[in-house]
């Protein structure tokens, strides 16, 4: 069982104190016939700050998450939450809203954009008073002009000390199961790694393990997609966890512009799924296995296709199995 470990800065609602959320399981035998009622996650904090009355967080850090030679701009950004009252508690797997400064082209305040939280509830400094994000600057070409995304550009260019309007937290889709012996399969592309970074810190950072009184004993398998090696986000941390916990963490990379799939095309995580389909489906047959998908919307059909092929090799029908996994609270997807 997990100990409640949410920092109780200022006044914390009793209902916000619970640490993680139980999920129902799906056994091989009952996988079709017995969907078990999901828990409502009533204890998870939601919308402590609404977009119309946001909390003003202060930037404490904003540094590149990329290595030399990477494509684009991706920043790791941390905000101080100490002054929030009520305290802006959150749990791993949630998102926050950011309202960029300025106005839109109609003279109205900008709408909030959602960002997955990349830190655990204890924050990167373990003091429980910060939240971190992993943000890619949106940039594309239109009519020969480079267009910069409003909010992502605003975030990537913030300086230490800047005040930022934050709403949330929101989201119950990507919460971790409570059981220490659960298995966690993760499919991430690009900044979709954000919630996975929080999970992996919770599982493998010694300070996190101590603070949570939660000692992950299952198997975690991260499939990470990036265009180049230099774009692999938090790669050093994950390599370190793998060394420290070789029995508990598998880390599989698909580096699209440096590796080729079996057809000679770009290597995507769904190609890695096909390579490891037998092991993945052996894990899925265990009711303690959860699957998390986060990142590019475009990856979902590819993952589905790979899972369909992989399932068929085991005599299973993915189009039937996936809704069952979802109903059982074991399939978690957040793509954008
Ligand atoms: P905007 O200024 O709002 O521009 C976006 C618009 O530009 C699009 O709606 C589209 O109309 C247009 N556009 C985009 N690309 C093109 C193109 N190639 N050609 C033509 N038009 C185009 N982002 C992260 O970086 N990190 C995260 O952790 C993260 N988590 C998220 C979690 C959730 C649950 C959701 C829903 C989204 C998440 N996002 C994340 C995405 C984020 O919310 C924003 O959508 C993103 O940062 C772009 O916002 P923006 O204000 O910079 O772009
Ligand atoms: P590529 O851009 O080479 O086609 P980032 O956000 O840092 O660009 O990383 C996203 C990663 O996801 C890239 O490696 C990108 O490959 C890859 N990708 C792009 N489209 C898909 C897709 N449909 N399915 C899976 N991965 C994808």
């Amino acid at each position: 069982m997990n100990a409640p470990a949410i920092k109780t800065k200022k006044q914390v609602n009793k209902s916000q104190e619970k640490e993680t959320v139980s999920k129902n399981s799906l056994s091989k035998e009952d996988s079709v016939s017995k969907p078990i009622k999901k828990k409502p996650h009533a204890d998870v904090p939601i919308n402590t700050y609404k977009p119309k009355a946001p909390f003003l967080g202060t930037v404490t850090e904003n540094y590149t998450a990329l290595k030399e030679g990477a494509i684009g701009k991706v920043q790791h950004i941390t905000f101080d939450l100490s002054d929030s009252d009520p305290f802006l508690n959150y749990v791993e797997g949630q998102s926050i809203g950011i309202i960029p400064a300025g106005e839109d082209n109609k003279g109205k305040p900008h709408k909030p954009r959602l960002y997955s939280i990349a830190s655990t509830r204890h924050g990167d400094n373990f003091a429980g008073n910060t939240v971190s994000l992993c943000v890619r600057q949106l940039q594309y070409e239109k009519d020969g002009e480079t267009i910069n995304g409003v909010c992502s550009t605003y975030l990537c260019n913030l300086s230490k000390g800047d005040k930022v309007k934050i709403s949330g937290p929101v989201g119950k889709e990507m919460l971790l199961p409570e059981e220490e012996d659960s298995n966690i399969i993760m499919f991430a592309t690009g900044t979709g790694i954000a919630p996975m970074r929080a999970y992996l810190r919770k599982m493998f950072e010694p300070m996190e393990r101590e603070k949570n009184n939660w000692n992950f004993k299952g198997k975690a398998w991260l499939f990470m997609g990036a265009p180049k090696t230099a774009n692999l986000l938090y790669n050093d941390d994950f390599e370190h966890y793998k060394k420290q916990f070789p029995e508990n963490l598998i880390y599989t990379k698909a580096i699209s512009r440096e590796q080729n799939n079996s057809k000679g095309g770009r290597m995507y995580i769904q190609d890695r799924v096909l390579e490891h389909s037998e092991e993945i489906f052996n894990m899925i047959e265990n009711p303690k296995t959860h699957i998390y998908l986060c990142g590019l919307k475009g990856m979902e059909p590819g993952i589905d296709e790979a899972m369909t092929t992989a399932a068929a090799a085991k005599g299973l029908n993915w189009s039937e199995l996936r809704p069952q996994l979802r109903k059982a609270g074991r399939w978690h997807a957040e793509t954008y």
Side-chain angles (χ1 to χ4, degrees):
M1 276 292 131
N2 298 332
I6 293 178
K7 180 83 175 174
T8 49
K9 278 240 163 190
K10 303 282 167 79
Q11 281 186 323
V12 176
N13 184 335
K14 195 88 181 121
S15 72
Q16 294 185 345
E17 281 185 341
K18 194 156 186 288
E19 191 184 40
T20 51
V21 179
S22 261
K23 297 285 173 112
N24 300 318
S25 61
L26 180 83
S27 69
K28 204 175 175 185
E29 298 75 38
D30 70 8
S31 65
V32 184
S33 55
K34 285 190 211 160
I36 305 161
K37 215 176 160 196
K38 252 206 223 181
K39 285 194 178 174
H41 311 312
D43 295 336
V44 173
I46 292 287
N47 268 325
T48 311
Y49 288 88
K50 302 215 164 59
K52 284 202 169 136
F55 167 65
L56 219 49
T58 308
V59 177
T60 60
E61 281 190 295
N62 185 357
Y63 58 84
T64 181
L66 302 175
K67 297 264 168 67
E68 184 112 11
I71 299 168
K73 183 168 181 173
V74 182
Q75 297 289 118
H76 183 84
I77 310 163
T78 303
F79 303 96
D80 185 8
L81 304 174
S82 303
D83 291 338
S84 55
D85 187 7
F87 191 69
L88 206 164
N89 275 314
Y90 62 88
V91 301
E92 297 77 20
Q94 291 194 287
S95 299
I96 53 170
I98 299 288
I99 301 134
E103 293 172 339
D104 64 18
N105 51 16
K106 290 181 189 137
K108 295 232 167 89
H110 286 297
K111 298 227 156 53
R113 271 71 160 176
L114 288 178
Y115 293 89
S116 307
I117 295 173
S119 49
T120 71
R121 69 194 67 192
H122 301 116
D124 293 352
N125 62 0
F126 307 108
N129 57 6
T130 63
V131 64
S132 298
L133 304 178
C134 177
V135 180
R136 165 176 279 286
Q137 183 186 19
L138 173 66
Q139 274 197 322
Y140 59 92
E141 302 295 319
K142 199 177 169 188
D143 304 327
E145 213 190 311
T146 301
I147 311 284
N148 293 321
V150 172
C151 192
S152 58
T153 302
Y154 163 73
L155 282 169
C156 287
N157 292 336
L158 288 169
S159 303
K160 195 174 167 178
D162 285 349
K163 302 279 187 194
V164 174
K165 289 178 184 163
I166 301 175
S167 61
V170 295
K172 292 184 175 182
E173 171 69 23
M174 298 290 283
L175 306 177
L176 279 176
E178 188 173 323
E179 293 78 21
E180 292 181 340
D181 61 347
S182 50
N183 300 310
I184 308 294
I185 300 176
M186 293 160 274
F187 298 126
T189 52
T191 53
I193 197 64
M196 281 63 167
R197 178 200 184 238
Y199 307 157
L200 292 166
R201 281 178 72 85
K202 181 177 162 92
M203 290 169 187
F204 302 121
E205 273 294 334
M207 272 289 270
E208 287 287 340
R209 287 168 77 92
E210 201 182 305
K211 277 186 169 278
N212 287 314
N213 190 21
W214 190 75
N215 289 309
F216 179 69
K217 296 184 181 75
K219 187 173 273 185
W221 194 342
L222 172 64
F223 290 85
M224 173 63 189
K228 294 174 78 175
T229 301
N231 282 82
L232 284 169
L233 304 166
Y234 312 109
N235 184 52
D236 296 344
D237 292 343
F238 302 158
E239 287 293 351
H240 176 72
Y241 298 152
K242 200 176 86 172
K243 257 196 202 120
Q244 298 297 308
F245 295 90
E247 301 298 316
N248 304 91
L249 176 60
I250 312 174
Y251 178 24
T252 303
K253 304 166 200 182
I255 307 174
S256 56
R257 311 219 185 158
E258 294 175 6
Q259 299 169 335
N260 288 328
N261 62 20
S262 58
K263 292 182 192 139
R266 287 182 180 177
M267 176 64 84
Y268 286 163
I269 50 176
Q270 49 268 39
D271 300 308
R272 295 294 187 206
V273 167
L274 285 175
E275 285 172 10
H276 298 282
S277 56
E278 170 123 23
E279 298 137 277
I280 290 171
F281 271 85
N282 285 343
M283 279 176 77
I284 290 177
E285 278 169 1
N286 179 344
K288 288 184 177 166
T289 298
H290 288 243
I291 303 153
Y292 294 80
L293 213 111
C294 191
L296 294 177
K297 205 159 214 80
M299 79 198 248
E300 283 201 63
I303 293 283
D304 254 338
E305 202 181 310
M307 295 298 267
T308 302
T309 308
K314 291 216 104 194
L316 296 166
N317 182 336
W318 181 241
S319 63
E320 283 171 12
L321 192 54
R322 187 179 126 155
Q324 288 160 19
L325 289 169
R326 201 168 162 72
K327 214 167 198 173
R330 295 173 50 203
W331 177 265
H332 313 257
E334 203 156 77
T335 57
Y336 42 87

Short mmCIF file of all heavy atoms in Angstrom, two decimals, residues 66 71 74 136 188-192 224-228 231-233 254-258 266-271 295-303, ligand 2:
data_model
loop_
_atom_site.label_atom_id
_atom_site.label_comp_id
_atom_site.label_asym_id
_atom_site.label_seq_id
_atom_site.Cartn_x
_atom_site.Cartn_y
_atom_site.Cartn_z
N LEU A 66 17.71 19.08 -24.74
CA LEU A 66 18.35 18.44 -25.90
C LEU A 66 19.86 18.46 -25.80
O LEU A 66 20.44 19.28 -25.10
CB LEU A 66 17.91 19.18 -27.18
CG LEU A 66 16.41 19.26 -27.43
CD1 LEU A 66 16.13 20.12 -28.66
CD2 LEU A 66 15.81 17.87 -27.60
N ILE A 71 17.34 18.24 -33.23
CA ILE A 71 16.42 19.01 -34.08
C ILE A 71 15.44 19.77 -33.19
O ILE A 71 14.87 19.21 -32.26
CB ILE A 71 15.63 18.04 -34.99
CG1 ILE A 71 16.58 17.27 -35.91
CG2 ILE A 71 14.57 18.77 -35.79
CD1 ILE A 71 15.93 16.10 -36.62
N VAL A 74 13.49 22.02 -27.32
CA VAL A 74 12.70 21.40 -26.26
C VAL A 74 13.30 21.84 -24.92
O VAL A 74 14.50 21.67 -24.70
CB VAL A 74 12.68 19.85 -26.34
CG1 VAL A 74 11.81 19.26 -25.24
CG2 VAL A 74 12.19 19.37 -27.71
N ARG A 136 8.10 21.32 -26.21
CA ARG A 136 8.71 21.52 -27.54
C ARG A 136 8.11 22.78 -28.16
O ARG A 136 6.89 22.95 -28.17
CB ARG A 136 8.43 20.32 -28.45
CG ARG A 136 8.71 20.63 -29.93
CD ARG A 136 8.52 19.43 -30.83
NE ARG A 136 9.69 18.57 -30.81
CZ ARG A 136 10.85 18.84 -31.41
NH1 ARG A 136 11.02 20.01 -32.04
NH2 ARG A 136 11.85 17.99 -31.36
N ALA A 188 6.23 6.33 -25.80
CA ALA A 188 6.34 7.79 -25.84
C ALA A 188 7.01 8.24 -27.12
O ALA A 188 7.97 7.63 -27.58
CB ALA A 188 7.15 8.28 -24.64
N THR A 189 6.48 9.34 -27.69
CA THR A 189 7.22 10.02 -28.77
C THR A 189 7.45 11.46 -28.31
O THR A 189 6.54 12.10 -27.77
CB THR A 189 6.43 10.04 -30.09
OG1 THR A 189 5.12 10.56 -29.84
CG2 THR A 189 6.32 8.67 -30.73
N GLY A 190 8.65 11.94 -28.52
CA GLY A 190 8.98 13.34 -28.21
C GLY A 190 8.63 13.72 -26.78
O GLY A 190 8.94 12.99 -25.82
N THR A 191 7.91 14.87 -26.64
CA THR A 191 7.58 15.34 -25.30
C THR A 191 6.54 14.46 -24.60
O THR A 191 6.23 14.69 -23.43
CB THR A 191 7.04 16.79 -25.35
OG1 THR A 191 5.97 16.84 -26.31
CG2 THR A 191 8.12 17.77 -25.76
N GLY A 192 6.02 13.47 -25.30
CA GLY A 192 5.17 12.46 -24.68
C GLY A 192 5.90 11.73 -23.56
O GLY A 192 5.30 10.99 -22.78
N MET A 224 10.76 4.54 -26.45
CA MET A 224 10.90 5.98 -26.65
C MET A 224 11.24 6.30 -28.10
O MET A 224 12.22 5.76 -28.65
CB MET A 224 12.01 6.49 -25.72
CG MET A 224 12.41 7.93 -25.92
SD MET A 224 11.01 9.02 -25.57
CE MET A 224 11.62 10.60 -26.11
N GLY A 225 10.45 7.16 -28.71
CA GLY A 225 10.70 7.56 -30.10
C GLY A 225 11.22 8.98 -30.19
O GLY A 225 10.66 9.90 -29.61
N ALA A 226 12.33 9.15 -30.91
CA ALA A 226 12.93 10.48 -31.10
C ALA A 226 13.58 10.50 -32.48
O ALA A 226 14.00 9.46 -32.99
CB ALA A 226 13.96 10.76 -30.02
N PRO A 227 13.71 11.70 -33.06
CA PRO A 227 14.30 11.73 -34.41
C PRO A 227 15.80 11.43 -34.43
O PRO A 227 16.29 10.80 -35.37
CB PRO A 227 14.02 13.16 -34.90
CG PRO A 227 13.66 13.96 -33.70
CD PRO A 227 13.15 13.01 -32.67
N LYS A 228 16.51 11.93 -33.41
CA LYS A 228 17.96 11.71 -33.36
C LYS A 228 18.38 11.34 -31.94
O LYS A 228 17.64 11.63 -30.98
CB LYS A 228 18.70 13.01 -33.77
CG LYS A 228 18.46 13.40 -35.22
CD LYS A 228 19.08 14.73 -35.55
CE LYS A 228 20.58 14.62 -35.76
NZ LYS A 228 21.16 15.92 -36.21
N ASN A 231 18.11 13.99 -29.53
CA ASN A 231 16.75 14.37 -29.13
C ASN A 231 16.15 13.45 -28.06
O ASN A 231 15.00 13.64 -27.67
CB ASN A 231 15.81 14.34 -30.34
CG ASN A 231 15.96 15.55 -31.23
OD1 ASN A 231 16.85 15.60 -32.06
ND2 ASN A 231 15.12 16.55 -31.04
N LEU A 232 16.91 12.45 -27.63
CA LEU A 232 16.37 11.53 -26.61
C LEU A 232 16.29 12.27 -25.28
O LEU A 232 17.32 12.59 -24.68
CB LEU A 232 17.28 10.30 -26.48
CG LEU A 232 17.17 9.26 -27.59
CD1 LEU A 232 18.32 8.25 -27.46
CD2 LEU A 232 15.81 8.54 -27.55
N LEU A 233 15.09 12.55 -24.83
CA LEU A 233 14.88 13.38 -23.64
C LEU A 233 15.14 12.56 -22.37
O LEU A 233 14.68 11.41 -22.28
CB LEU A 233 13.46 13.94 -23.65
CG LEU A 233 13.11 14.72 -24.93
CD1 LEU A 233 11.60 14.96 -25.03
CD2 LEU A 233 13.86 16.05 -24.96
N ALA A 254 13.61 4.07 -30.40
CA ALA A 254 13.39 4.07 -31.86
C ALA A 254 13.83 5.44 -32.35
O ALA A 254 13.14 6.44 -32.12
CB ALA A 254 11.91 3.83 -32.16
N ILE A 255 14.97 5.47 -32.99
CA ILE A 255 15.55 6.77 -33.39
C ILE A 255 15.34 6.92 -34.90
O ILE A 255 16.11 6.43 -35.72
CB ILE A 255 17.03 6.83 -32.97
CG1 ILE A 255 17.10 6.50 -31.46
CG2 ILE A 255 17.62 8.21 -33.25
CD1 ILE A 255 18.49 6.37 -30.91
N SER A 256 14.26 7.63 -35.21
CA SER A 256 13.69 7.56 -36.56
C SER A 256 14.63 8.01 -37.68
O SER A 256 14.56 7.48 -38.77
CB SER A 256 12.40 8.37 -36.61
OG SER A 256 12.63 9.70 -36.20
N ARG A 257 15.50 8.98 -37.41
CA ARG A 257 16.32 9.49 -38.52
C ARG A 257 17.74 8.91 -38.50
O ARG A 257 18.59 9.33 -39.27
CB ARG A 257 16.35 11.01 -38.47
CG ARG A 257 14.94 11.58 -38.34
CD ARG A 257 14.65 12.78 -39.10
NE ARG A 257 13.28 13.23 -38.73
CZ ARG A 257 12.84 14.46 -38.88
NH1 ARG A 257 13.61 15.39 -39.39
NH2 ARG A 257 11.60 14.77 -38.53
N GLU A 258 17.95 7.96 -37.59
CA GLU A 258 19.27 7.31 -37.55
C GLU A 258 19.15 5.80 -37.74
O GLU A 258 20.14 5.14 -38.04
CB GLU A 258 19.97 7.59 -36.20
CG GLU A 258 20.32 9.05 -36.01
CD GLU A 258 20.89 9.34 -34.62
OE1 GLU A 258 21.13 8.39 -33.85
OE2 GLU A 258 21.08 10.53 -34.31
N ARG A 266 11.79 4.81 -41.78
CA ARG A 266 12.18 5.36 -40.48
C ARG A 266 11.75 4.44 -39.33
O ARG A 266 10.65 3.88 -39.37
CB ARG A 266 11.51 6.73 -40.26
CG ARG A 266 12.13 7.82 -41.10
CD ARG A 266 11.47 9.16 -40.81
NE ARG A 266 12.10 10.19 -41.63
CZ ARG A 266 11.74 11.46 -41.67
NH1 ARG A 266 10.73 11.88 -40.93
NH2 ARG A 266 12.37 12.32 -42.43
N MET A 267 12.62 4.30 -38.37
CA MET A 267 12.32 3.43 -37.22
C MET A 267 11.40 4.17 -36.25
O MET A 267 11.79 5.18 -35.67
CB MET A 267 13.63 3.05 -36.53
CG MET A 267 13.46 2.25 -35.26
SD MET A 267 12.71 0.65 -35.54
CE MET A 267 14.13 -0.32 -36.01
N TYR A 268 10.18 3.67 -36.08
CA TYR A 268 9.23 4.22 -35.12
C TYR A 268 8.99 3.22 -33.99
O TYR A 268 9.28 2.03 -34.14
CB TYR A 268 7.89 4.53 -35.82
CG TYR A 268 7.92 5.75 -36.73
CD1 TYR A 268 6.92 5.94 -37.68
CD2 TYR A 268 8.90 6.73 -36.62
CE1 TYR A 268 6.90 7.06 -38.51
CE2 TYR A 268 8.90 7.86 -37.44
CZ TYR A 268 7.91 8.02 -38.38
OH TYR A 268 7.89 9.12 -39.19
N ILE A 269 8.37 3.71 -32.90
CA ILE A 269 8.19 2.78 -31.77
C ILE A 269 7.31 1.59 -32.14
O ILE A 269 7.52 0.51 -31.60
CB ILE A 269 7.68 3.48 -30.48
CG1 ILE A 269 6.48 4.34 -30.75
CG2 ILE A 269 8.78 4.27 -29.81
CD1 ILE A 269 5.92 4.94 -29.44
N GLN A 270 6.37 1.78 -33.09
CA GLN A 270 5.54 0.63 -33.46
C GLN A 270 6.36 -0.48 -34.13
O GLN A 270 6.00 -1.66 -34.05
CB GLN A 270 4.34 1.04 -34.33
CG GLN A 270 4.63 1.93 -35.51
CD GLN A 270 4.49 3.40 -35.15
OE1 GLN A 270 4.88 3.80 -34.07
NE2 GLN A 270 3.97 4.20 -36.06
N ASP A 271 7.49 -0.10 -34.77
CA ASP A 271 8.37 -1.13 -35.34
C ASP A 271 9.04 -1.91 -34.22
O ASP A 271 9.25 -3.12 -34.33
CB ASP A 271 9.43 -0.48 -36.24
CG ASP A 271 8.80 0.30 -37.39
OD1 ASP A 271 7.96 -0.29 -38.09
OD2 ASP A 271 9.13 1.49 -37.56
N GLY A 295 2.13 11.34 -26.52
CA GLY A 295 2.93 12.04 -27.53
C GLY A 295 2.10 12.34 -28.76
O GLY A 295 0.93 12.69 -28.65
N LEU A 296 2.74 12.18 -29.92
CA LEU A 296 2.08 12.52 -31.18
C LEU A 296 0.80 11.74 -31.43
O LEU A 296 0.79 10.51 -31.27
CB LEU A 296 3.03 12.19 -32.35
CG LEU A 296 4.31 12.97 -32.50
CD1 LEU A 296 5.11 12.40 -33.67
CD2 LEU A 296 3.99 14.45 -32.73
N LYS A 297 -0.25 12.47 -31.81
CA LYS A 297 -1.51 11.80 -32.14
C LYS A 297 -1.30 10.75 -33.23
O LYS A 297 -1.88 9.66 -33.18
CB LYS A 297 -2.52 12.85 -32.62
CG LYS A 297 -3.91 12.42 -32.41
CD LYS A 297 -4.92 13.53 -32.37
CE LYS A 297 -6.04 13.22 -31.42
NZ LYS A 297 -5.84 13.43 -30.05
N GLY A 298 -0.42 11.08 -34.17
CA GLY A 298 -0.17 10.21 -35.31
C GLY A 298 0.37 8.84 -34.95
O GLY A 298 0.34 7.92 -35.77
N MET A 299 0.87 8.67 -33.73
CA MET A 299 1.43 7.38 -33.36
C MET A 299 0.35 6.34 -33.05
O MET A 299 0.58 5.15 -33.12
CB MET A 299 2.38 7.50 -32.17
CG MET A 299 1.70 7.60 -30.81
SD MET A 299 2.80 8.25 -29.55
CE MET A 299 3.01 6.84 -28.51
N GLU A 300 -0.87 6.82 -32.73
CA GLU A 300 -1.90 5.88 -32.27
C GLU A 300 -2.27 4.83 -33.31
O GLU A 300 -2.29 3.63 -33.00
CB GLU A 300 -3.14 6.62 -31.77
CG GLU A 300 -2.92 7.21 -30.40
CD GLU A 300 -4.21 7.51 -29.66
OE1 GLU A 300 -4.96 6.57 -29.39
OE2 GLU A 300 -4.46 8.70 -29.37
N PRO A 301 -2.55 5.24 -34.59
CA PRO A 301 -2.87 4.22 -35.58
C PRO A 301 -1.71 3.24 -35.79
O PRO A 301 -1.95 2.04 -35.97
CB PRO A 301 -3.14 5.01 -36.87
CG PRO A 301 -3.32 6.43 -36.45
CD PRO A 301 -2.66 6.61 -35.14
N GLY A 302 -0.49 3.74 -35.75
CA GLY A 302 0.68 2.88 -35.94
C GLY A 302 0.81 1.86 -34.82
O GLY A 302 1.09 0.68 -35.05
N ILE A 303 0.60 2.31 -33.59
CA ILE A 303 0.67 1.40 -32.44
C ILE A 303 -0.44 0.36 -32.55
O ILE A 303 -0.23 -0.84 -32.33
CB ILE A 303 0.56 2.18 -31.10
CG1 ILE A 303 1.78 3.09 -30.88
CG2 ILE A 303 0.34 1.25 -29.92
CD1 ILE A 303 3.03 2.38 -30.42
P1 LIG B 2 10.13 11.61 -37.62
O1 LIG B 2 9.91 13.05 -37.22
O2 LIG B 2 11.57 11.33 -37.91
O3 LIG B 2 9.22 11.18 -38.72
P2 LIG B 2 9.93 14.83 -31.70
O4 LIG B 2 8.66 15.32 -31.11
O5 LIG B 2 11.12 15.11 -30.84
O6 LIG B 2 10.09 15.29 -33.12
O7 LIG B 2 9.84 13.25 -31.73
C1 LIG B 2 8.75 12.59 -32.31
C2 LIG B 2 9.22 11.25 -32.82
O8 LIG B 2 8.08 10.48 -33.24
C3 LIG B 2 10.12 11.38 -34.03
O9 LIG B 2 11.09 10.38 -34.00
C4 LIG B 2 9.15 11.18 -35.17
O10 LIG B 2 9.78 10.72 -36.36
C5 LIG B 2 8.30 10.09 -34.60
N1 LIG B 2 7.03 9.96 -35.33
C6 LIG B 2 6.51 10.78 -36.28
N2 LIG B 2 5.35 10.30 -36.73
C7 LIG B 2 5.13 9.15 -36.08
C8 LIG B 2 4.08 8.18 -36.13
N3 LIG B 2 3.04 8.30 -36.94
N4 LIG B 2 4.18 7.11 -35.32
C9 LIG B 2 5.23 6.98 -34.48
N5 LIG B 2 6.24 7.85 -34.39
C10 LIG B 2 6.20 8.93 -35.17
#
